[in-house]
Amino acid sequence: MSRSPWNREPESITRARTGLTQDVRGRQRRYIAAMGVRTACVVVMAATWNRWPVLALCALAGGVVIPYLAVVAAQAGWTQQRGARPALKLVREEPLTRVLLEPTLILPPERNAAG
């Protein structure tokens, strides 16, 4: 009987993960919020470019860095929302026995040469 090498304990309902729909919705909300902040940075940069160039450059840096941080934050939320996974236990199986086969030479049948 062949069993899977990874054995998992059943999860209790208190540690159950959130549904996929809720997880995706949460990621989308975090990403959209970060993109809203990025849009605000671009608007601030455009509005302050001539008057306060230091503020405009800071807003430009925020507009460049925020998309990367938004993706990382959206993906990092997966472990925080879903909780820690239980450790997998490795089940040792019995070692396979090797069967040695002897080589066999199969020759075609001999034919009568006097024919």
Side-chain angles (χ1 to χ4, degrees):
M1 180 168 112
S2 175
R3 293 188 334 185
S4 171
W6 302 104
N7 226 2
R8 293 185 73 178
E9 296 292 324
E11 291 191 30
S12 69
I13 193 65
T14 57
R15 292 188 334 185
R17 296 179 177 184
T18 58
L20 180 61
T21 306
Q22 292 174 341
D23 184 44
V24 170
R25 189 178 301 135
R27 289 185 200 193
Q28 287 174 343
R29 285 181 181 161
R30 284 192 304 275
Y31 186 79
I32 288 172
M35 289 301 106
V37 171
R38 178 183 185 230
T39 303
C41 284
V42 171
V43 169
V44 166
M45 184 214 44
T48 61
W49 189 258
N50 290 330
R51 250 181 144 184
W52 299 297
V54 175
L55 179 63
L57 289 175
C58 290
L60 177 65
V64 170
V65 172
I66 286 177
Y68 172 75
L69 295 178
V71 171
V72 170
Q75 296 302 326
W78 185 78
T79 55
Q80 293 171 358
Q81 283 184 349
R82 294 187 170 218
R85 290 186 124 185
L88 298 175
K89 297 177 186 176
L90 180 63
V91 177
R92 299 238 180 223
E93 292 186 11
E94 297 176 12
L96 297 175
T97 57
R98 292 189 175 194
V99 177
L100 296 176
L101 300 175
E102 295 181 13
T104 305
L105 181 61
I106 300 175
L107 296 173
E110 293 182 18
R111 295 191 179 192
N112 237 346

